[in-house]
Amino acid sequence: MGKTAFLPTALVSFSAGFSSLGPLQTAGEGCLLILLRNIPYSSKEKVNTVAGLSLDLAQKYSIQQLRDMADALFVVLRKVALSLGEGALVKIGTDVVEAAPVMTDFEQSMKQIEGELSVLQAFIGQVSAQRVGDKAFDAWLDQVRDVAHEVEDIIDEYAYLTSQAALDTSSFFKRKFHQIKNFVAWQKFPSQISQVEARIQRLTEMRNRYDLSIGKQGKSNNLQLTNQLFMSDSAYLTDHSEIVGNVDEIGRLNEWLLEERQDRTLIAIFGMGGLGKTTIASTVYKDQKIITSFDCHAWVVVSQTYQVENLLREIINRLIGERASMTSGVMTLSRMRLVELIQSHLQDRKYFIVLDDVWDKDAWLFLNYAFVRNNCGSKVLITTRRKDVSSLAVDNYVIELKTLKHAESWELFCKKAFHASKDNICPENIRYWANKIVAKCQGLPLAIITIGSILSYRDLKEQEWAFFFNQLSWQLANNPELNWISSVLKLSLNDLPSYLRSCFLYCSLYPEDYKIRKKHISKLWIAEGLVEERGDGTTMEEVAECYLMELTQRSLLQVTERKACGRARTFVMHDLVREVTSIIAKKEKFGIAHGGASTTQIAHEARRLFIQSGAQTMNSLASSRLRSFILFDTEVPCSWINDILSRFRLLRVLSLRFVNIEQVPGVVTELYNLRYLDFSYTKVKIIPASFRKLVNLQVLDLRFTYVEELPQEITKLTNLRHLHVFAVHDFQQRSLSCFGATKFPGNICHLKNLQALQIVSANKDLVSQLGNLKLMRSLAIVEVRQSYIAELWNSLTKMPNLNRLVISACDMEEILDLKMLKPLSNLIFFKLAGKLEAGVLPSMFYNFEKLTWLKLDWSGLKKDPISSLSHMSNLVYLLMCGSYGGEQLTFCSGWFPKLNYLQLSKMENLNWIEIEDGTMMCLNNLELNDLGNLKAVPYGIKYIRTLHQMYLTDMSKEFLGSLQGSERPIVQHIRNIHIFESSDSEAAINNDEFRKYSASVSMEAEA
């Protein structure tokens, strides 16, 4: 027969090399080609398939012709790939390569395609940083990104359909029939490819017509991020030692705070964003001379999207401590009752409260009543960008911040730009350009810091700095007043390498003042494909952590909370930075943060949607392009969630954390492209067997849910990297069963990519299978029996990267014998719950040199364990609950030099704690719980001058009496001492708000 084979009409004009094949008569035929292309060339099954499913098609074409037509479809996708913009190039480099084998046996052409894509990645990666300020170029680049998104849609749609076909478990012939039947969904595919090709051609013509050439200025070398990044969190807004200028303002503020005025004084600091209002306020707030002159104090961020009840609760938390407020049941109180509680606490106290970032006067309505006028000399300090809010402060107690003088600006700039040189001196060869750059910054600290940080990574060459100034000059000249700040921040954004830029845009989608947790954002970046895989043994999670530190060093993110060991735990994006960056994210269709009535219309092109509030007010929410859906608004009904999710079948990320749902929405298991799924803090009880369809899932978060057993089909999710699933039965952790044990049926060996698994119930098969999970880094396993120990430990020794481990015995009577076990020398985090053989610590504890966190529960120790742990010089956290049955614990001089947190609980015989001078010299927090026989305050506490927080729960009346009586001088240096009874918190245990609070005090594996 002659060459009468057909190609889809839409592809004929697109692929001239195959035009002789003619158009296929049906979409089903074209799709069948792809199916056939996936069957080995010589396979008899191919012939049977052709005969059984489309005899007519088999009669029309030879097998080779069918093969050629399938090849044509791949050539089209290859051609499309050449047009990709920056955002999708990285994705194509992996997804097309993964999808292509399904369409063709491309073999040798694979290397050629990868080479072409690598060159394109390097080329397109320069686009956004060149021709800065060229509106025509920017408009053209926006259209290139649109094309990239269209190509991404084609790839993801193809991946979705092939996953759907692969997951069909019916018989072979029925499966092929269903595939043909479902090919209606493919009918748009050829036309979409044709449209993409047409757009590519138009963009090429447009670029030539308007001379939108790339690379004229030869900046490629300068766009590379230098390897030498200074390792310091030196952002001006948080580093008080580097404050420059505003000396008179700070002096006046100190004077007002210390003056002996009896009436409550309201003080305001106001000025435009970026002037350092928060920095100055935090400087006086942390001044010991000031803070010690008040009986109590609190720092609260208000922000634009505050809710009155949450704001009042936060004030209570700050005043009396989160744990103490939890025991008071504040989560269940009404607005008026919260106000009364604050009034009661402040009634006879001299207080100092900072309200940071107040946007309107309404916030003051309830707070004015809550902050009682008690004639004790109390002070309230407000920071705001708005003058009408600052007018709340009467009698001229207002500080209006101005821009820095030139000399101050120069000093601050040199500290940031030349931090690596001696005395921060500017080299003479670039002084002229440095002066011009500082002058253009017009004294705004945020601009000076941002630009100085950027230039600190540049070569100290005159040409380099002159070029930078010429860019900066155009930006500043065309954006007066507040607008010019965004231009400075855009320069900072443009200077970011492509791998950091997308991650930074992602951070801007969170609500104002949102504390971004390192582990949380890292998993999201990975699921989104924003983190590179370096292949040198470094995990993508570690790479993501490096990204965060780079953003911090560039002063684009600030560290808000650190672990006791000094490593960053949470980050925040400055309000002004977030505001400007979120505009860019929206413009580039990267993502949208929905926060109320002002954003009721959601652009259908948006790739990511973060709903901060007002979910049900949104209109036109039907985006097939959406890849991430993160819901912060917890007040939406289940029906709304089901309806919304049915519109987003190509989702990669879905987060319904804290949402009030009791079962998994049915549509979720049809989201085959999901990488990240978060149902934590919901009321979900059952995970359906249909979860087996989510074969691409990397993260499944079921923490603080009611799930007690996973389906056997969970072992089909071979791409899982993090599996967190547990319920909490007792937040006070008074028994071995405080955390629910999740049953894990099936063979876990298939989940070879798992890095974190929490919390699973042990069984004989599971403990032996764990040894196959060689990438495991964090494991929590409970209900362990002595008969499992040898096999379990054998499995653990096969995990070279394991550094976090939780082991809990099956009950209080089970005795665990660990004496002869090999030490796990890489552990930094270890919780061991259960009675130990002979009541002594096993010898392996002498080899935990890297350990920074240790918790021993119900160990049944007969000998003082402190001496056996004293060699752990890196220990930062030490927690012991019911672990020792003796009468005395001794802490000798020189022991535990880095210990920051010590918790001693439920040791019924303990009646004496000896603390020598020179021990625990860094201790900041001490918690004593239910030590009924301890009658006196340990005298040695007076030696620990770093101790700032002391929590006492269910202590004896004699102990509390001595604390408030004769032994008061022993603890007078401790800033906050909290005393409460565990029974006070019982009412709060089942409260939903309390479950949110538990995130910060439970499941130590997230520490």
Side-chain angles (χ1 to χ4, degrees):
M1 57 184 292
K3 276 196 174 182
T4 58
F6 300 107
L7 188 70
T9 304
L11 303 182
V12 173
S13 62
F14 192 80
S15 186
F18 298 92
S19 60
S20 61
L21 298 178
L24 280 174
Q25 294 177 338
T26 67
E29 292 179 5
C31 295
L32 180 59
L33 296 179
I34 296 174
L35 289 176
L36 294 174
R37 199 66 184 87
N38 198 30
I39 303 175
Y41 178 70
S42 59
S43 173
K44 293 182 180 179
E45 188 181 39
K46 176 179 292 184
V47 178
N48 293 335
T49 302
V50 174
L53 299 180
S54 184
L55 181 61
D56 182 58
L57 188 63
Q59 290 173 343
K60 287 181 183 179
Y61 319 120
S62 68
I63 295 297
Q64 183 59 49
Q65 286 175 321
L66 291 170
R67 189 179 180 86
D68 289 342
M69 287 185 283
D71 283 337
L73 292 178
F74 173 66
V75 169
V76 169
L77 277 188
R78 178 186 171 198
K79 197 169 183 180
V80 168
L82 299 179
S83 71
L84 291 181
E86 175 189 354
L89 264 176
V90 174
K91 178 177 173 54
I92 277 294
T94 55
D95 288 5
V96 157
V97 166
E98 293 173 359
V102 183
M103 303 177 67
T104 182
D105 301 324
F106 57 98
E107 298 167 354
Q108 295 299 322
S109 64
M110 180 63 186
K111 293 183 180 179
Q112 180 181 351
I113 295 167
E114 286 181 329
E116 291 180 28
L117 289 175
S118 295
V119 173
L120 285 170
Q121 285 176 326
F123 177 74
I124 302 297
Q126 303 175 28
V127 170
S128 61
Q130 296 197 24
R131 304 290 291 270
V132 174
D134 189 329
K135 293 183 178 179
F137 183 83
D138 288 343
W140 179 82
L141 183 57
D142 285 341
Q143 294 193 43
V144 172
R145 288 194 179 97
D146 285 345
V147 173
H149 287 165
E150 290 182 20
V151 173
E152 186 182 44
D153 290 340
I154 292 171
I155 295 165
D156 284 355
E157 181 70 15
Y158 175 77
Y160 180 89
L161 292 174
T162 52
S163 294
Q164 188 181 49
L167 291 166
D168 193 337
T169 58
S170 56
S171 67
F172 173 78
F173 288 103
K174 284 186 177 180
R175 187 164 65 252
K176 295 301 178 184
F177 175 77
H178 291 158
Q179 289 169 352
I180 295 296
K181 183 180 179 181
N182 292 336
F183 277 151
V184 174
W186 286 76
Q187 289 180 345
K188 296 181 180 179
F189 188 60
S191 63
Q192 288 174 343
I193 295 176
S194 180
Q195 291 171 9
V196 166
E197 173 65 9
R199 288 196 66 182
I200 294 168
Q201 184 61 36
R202 287 196 299 270
L203 286 171
T204 302
E205 295 171 356
M206 191 182 301
R207 186 184 63 186
N208 295 332
R209 183 185 309 146
Y210 297 106
D211 190 27
L212 301 175
S213 56
I214 302 170
K216 281 185 175 181
Q217 299 170 348
K219 284 189 55 185
S220 57
N221 292 333
N222 298 327
L223 293 175
Q224 300 301 318
L225 177 67
T226 179
N227 292 328
Q228 298 179 346
L229 299 173
F230 67 96
M231 304 301 294
S232 170
D233 299 329
S234 57
Y236 176 73
L237 295 176
T238 55
D239 190 347
H240 305 144
S241 65
E242 293 205 18
I243 292 179
V244 175
N246 295 309
V247 175
D248 293 338
E249 288 77 11
I250 294 175
R252 197 181 337 146
L253 187 57
N254 275 278
E255 180 181 331
W256 289 344
L257 292 172
L258 293 173
E259 72 178 354
E260 296 297 329
R261 174 171 171 162
Q262 294 304 306
D263 194 14
R264 184 196 68 189
T265 305
L266 178 60
I267 304 169
I269 306 175
F270 94 95
M272 64 181 292
L275 287 175
K277 301 180 297 294
T278 300
T279 302
I280 291 174
S282 63
T283 299
V284 298
Y285 183 78
K286 295 179 181 180
D287 188 327
Q288 286 299 305
K289 181 179 180 181
I290 292 175
I291 213 67
T292 55
S293 67
F294 294 90
D295 298 325
C296 60
H297 52 87
W299 177 290
V300 181
V301 178
V302 179
S303 81
Q304 279 184 309
T305 57
Y306 72 92
Q307 294 181 344
V308 174
E309 290 84 356
N310 290 340
L311 184 59
L312 294 171
R313 292 187 184 109
E314 181 66 13
I315 292 170
I316 293 172
N317 286 342
R318 297 298 181 183
L319 286 172
I320 66 176
E322 289 186 348
R323 180 153 189 178
S325 66
M326 176 268 292
T327 63
S328 302
V330 299
M331 296 302 178
T332 61
L333 298 181
S334 67
R335 181 183 301 184
M336 294 306 299
R337 185 68 185 90
L338 289 169
V339 170
E340 292 172 356
L341 186 59
I342 295 174
Q343 289 176 334
S344 175
H345 183 80
L346 299 179
Q347 186 63 49
D348 299 314
R349 289 181 169 92
K350 180 182 180 182
Y351 57 85
F352 176 32
I353 296 176
V354 178
L355 301 175
D356 187 36
D357 200 16
V358 180
W359 283 82
D360 59 66
K361 292 183 177 181
D362 293 341
W364 182 245
L365 293 178
F366 276 86
L367 298 180
N368 185 33
Y369 292 105
F371 301 157
V372 294
R373 294 177 177 269
N374 55 10
N375 292 322
C376 293
S378 299
K379 305 291 191 296
V380 178
L381 176 60
I382 288 177
T383 70
T384 182
R385 298 182 186 183
R386 293 176 51 169
K387 191 170 185 177
D388 61 332
V389 175
S390 70
S391 66
L392 291 169
V394 297
D395 298 334
N396 296 319
Y397 281 89
V398 178
I399 293 177
E400 181 179 0
L401 295 186
K402 304 292 186 180
T403 55
L404 300 179
K405 299 175 183 177
H406 178 75
E408 296 168 339
S409 298
W410 177 257
E411 179 185 353
L412 179 58
F413 178 79
C414 289
K415 281 187 175 183
K416 304 301 292 186
F418 310 115
H419 64 86
S421 65
K422 185 178 181 180
D423 298 325
N424 304 328
I425 301 298
C426 174
E428 284 298 324
N429 65 311
I430 60 171
R431 180 176 290 271
Y432 172 78
W433 294 107
N435 268 301
K436 292 179 74 68
I437 290 169
V438 172
K440 282 292 185 180
C441 287
Q442 301 174 0
L444 192 71
L446 179 60
I448 296 168
I449 291 168
T450 305
I451 295 173
S453 297
I454 293 173
L455 290 173
S456 69
Y457 307 117
R458 300 265 184 174
D459 290 335
L460 301 178
K461 297 178 180 178
E462 182 177 1
Q463 183 180 4
E464 175 84 3
W465 283 59
F467 179 73
F468 184 90
F469 171 76
N470 290 331
Q471 277 193 319
L472 179 61
S473 178
W474 192 96
Q475 292 286 343
L476 297 179
N478 289 274
N479 293 277
E481 299 180 319
L482 287 175
N483 292 336
W484 71 269
I485 304 173
S486 65
S487 297
V488 175
L489 295 173
K490 286 177 183 177
L491 285 176
S492 178
L493 193 62
N494 289 337
D495 201 57
L496 289 173
S498 58
Y499 65 85
L500 273 186
R501 190 176 191 274
S502 295
C503 293
F504 186 58
L505 290 177
Y506 203 93
C507 293
S508 72
L509 302 178
Y510 283 96
E512 287 183 20
D513 302 311
Y514 187 87
K515 290 185 178 180
I516 302 172
R517 296 186 69 87
K518 178 181 66 177
K519 290 191 176 184
H520 185 228
I521 193 68
S522 297
K523 293 171 187 174
L524 287 170
W525 285 349
I526 293 168
E528 288 272 8
L530 304 180
V531 178
E532 63 181 349
E533 193 165 5
R534 294 180 177 175
D536 58 354
T538 303
T539 67
M540 286 193 287
E541 287 78 5
E542 290 171 332
V543 175
E545 185 173 347
C546 290
Y547 289 3
L548 281 167
M549 293 314 301
E550 287 188 60
L551 291 172
T552 302
Q553 291 156 11
R554 290 170 176 266
S555 299
L556 293 173
L557 291 179
Q558 285 81 48
V559 177
T560 55
E561 183 182 358
R562 293 185 180 276
K563 300 178 183 178
C565 59
R567 299 183 67 182
R569 175 180 292 168
T570 61
F571 302 81
V572 70
M573 183 180 286
H574 185 268
D575 288 351
L576 188 61
V577 177
R578 189 199 67 84
E579 181 180 320
V580 172
T581 310
S582 63
I583 292 173
I584 297 172
K586 182 177 181 179
K587 177 180 179 294
E588 295 182 1
K589 303 179 180 67
F590 180 89
I592 292 177
H594 175 83
S598 60
T599 53
T600 55
Q601 298 292 330
I602 302 297
H604 74 279
E605 300 93 347
R607 312 302 282 185
R608 298 162 185 88
L609 178 59
F610 284 45
I611 303 181
Q612 300 169 8
S613 61
Q616 298 181 76
T617 66
M618 293 187 300
N619 300 320
S620 304
L621 188 56
S623 173
S624 62
R625 289 189 165 190
L626 206 64
R627 296 302 188 272
S628 288
F629 183 78
I630 297 183
L631 186 62
F632 291 93
D633 187 347
T634 61
E635 302 302 321
V636 294
C638 298
S639 58
W640 185 89
I641 294 174
N642 277 290
D643 178 58
I644 287 295
L645 295 183
S646 65
R647 310 178 196 180
F648 307 141
R649 69 176 189 170
L650 300 182
L651 279 181
R652 281 173 161 256
V653 170
L654 174 60
S655 177
L656 299 178
R657 177 176 291 201
F658 289 118
V659 174
N660 187 25
I661 56 175
E662 296 185 1
Q663 61 183 17
V664 175
V667 69
V668 167
T669 56
E670 302 299 321
L671 304 176
Y672 306 127
N673 292 354
L674 270 183
R675 266 70 169 171
Y676 181 101
L677 182 56
D678 187 352
F679 285 119
S680 61
Y681 303 92
T682 66
K683 298 176 182 178
V684 168
K685 299 180 179 67
I686 298 174
I687 299 301
S690 54
F691 257 52
R692 64 177 178 80
K693 299 178 183 180
L694 305 179
V695 293
N696 294 304
L697 203 61
Q698 297 174 358
V699 178
L700 179 56
D701 196 340
L702 300 169
R703 286 174 293 180
F704 298 98
T705 62
Y706 297 97
V707 176
E708 296 183 351
E709 182 173 2
L710 293 170
Q712 186 170 350
E713 288 78 5
I714 207 78
T715 59
K716 302 289 185 182
L717 309 184
T718 56
N719 288 305
L720 267 181
R721 301 168 68 89
H722 302 272
L723 177 55
H724 306 283
V725 50
F726 60 84
V728 180
H729 303 313
D730 180 8
F731 287 103
Q732 298 179 42
Q733 303 182 42
R734 292 169 293 191
S735 68
L736 290 177
S737 59
C738 56
F739 289 105
T742 305
K743 296 179 181 178
F744 195 105
N747 193 338
I748 202 172
C749 294
H750 301 302
L751 305 183
K752 295 185 182 298
N753 289 306
L754 264 187
Q755 295 183 24
L757 177 61
Q758 304 161 349
I759 302 173
V760 291
S761 175
N763 61 60
K764 184 178 180 180
D765 293 331
L766 179 68
V767 296
S768 61
Q769 294 166 3
L770 285 172
N772 293 279
L773 310 183
K774 302 186 185 303
L775 299 181
M776 188 69 70
R777 290 172 177 260
S778 178
L779 173 66
I781 184 168
V782 299
E783 296 188 348
V784 175
R785 298 183 180 277
Q786 171 57 31
S787 58
Y788 303 159
I789 286 294
E791 195 63 48
L792 173 60
W793 218 260
N794 182 53
S795 292
L796 296 179
T797 58
K798 296 177 182 178
M799 302 174 183
N801 299 311
L802 186 68
N803 56 41
R804 309 171 76 84
L805 178 63
V806 176
I807 294 178
S808 180
C810 59
D811 57 52
M812 301 290 279
E813 301 304 319
E814 189 76 8
I815 298 176
L816 303 180
D817 186 356
L818 310 179
K819 292 196 299 293
M820 304 303 294
L821 299 180
K822 179 181 178 181
L824 304 173
S825 57
N826 288 325
L827 283 187
I828 60 173
F829 178 107
F830 187 30
K831 174 182 176 180
L832 179 61
K835 190 176 296 185
L836 296 177
E837 174 68 23
V840 296
L841 287 173
S843 59
M844 67 176 178
F845 272 78
Y846 292 97
N847 295 280
F848 288 147
E849 297 178 356
K850 297 180 182 179
L851 211 62
T852 62
W853 199 103
L854 175 63
K855 191 171 196 290
L856 296 173
D857 288 354
W858 315 107
S859 309
L861 300 176
K862 299 175 182 179
K863 178 184 176 182
D864 183 352
I866 302 302
S867 60
S868 300
L869 305 176
S870 61
H871 65 284
M872 298 181 181
S873 58
N874 290 312
L875 204 62
V876 178
Y877 291 86
L878 176 59
L879 304 91
M880 300 174 62
C881 180
S883 53
Y884 173 54
E887 297 182 353
Q888 179 172 334
L889 291 176
T890 301
F891 295 83
C892 294
S893 179
W895 290 359
F896 307 110
K898 296 182 181 179
L899 196 67
N900 180 272
Y901 186 98
L902 175 64
Q903 180 192 80
L904 303 174
S905 304
K906 299 187 180 300
M907 302 181 200
E908 58 184 17
N909 298 323
L910 186 66
N911 57 36
W912 189 261
I913 300 176
E914 183 72 25
I915 300 176
E916 296 183 1
D917 190 4
T919 189
M920 300 183 289
M921 297 304 291
C922 291
L923 193 67
N924 185 267
N925 291 271
L926 174 63
E927 186 170 346
L928 304 177
N929 300 329
D930 196 11
L931 304 177
N933 270 319
L934 188 64
K935 308 300 183 182
V937 177
Y939 182 79
I941 286 179
K942 73 174 188 177
Y943 301 128
I944 308 176
R945 309 307 296 180
T946 57
L947 193 57
H948 290 173
Q949 302 281 345
M950 189 173 180
Y951 297 94
L952 305 172
T953 306
D954 294 337
M955 298 299 289
S956 67
K957 295 180 179 179
E958 294 86 348
F959 182 95
L960 297 178
S962 67
L963 179 71
Q964 299 167 356
S966 60
E967 297 178 3
R968 176 66 182 173
I970 296 175
V971 297
Q972 64 182 0
H973 63 288
I974 302 176
R975 185 181 302 169
N976 296 302
I977 299 178
H978 306 285
I979 303 173
F980 49 90
E981 296 181 3
S982 58
S983 58
D984 296 336
S985 64
E986 294 297 329
I989 292 297
N990 295 317
N991 185 272
D992 287 341
E993 291 292 335
F994 179 79
R995 297 171 70 232
K996 297 181 182 181
Y997 163 81
S998 66
S1000 63
V1001 297
S1002 298
M1003 191 47 197
E1004 299 88 348
E1006 274 294 299

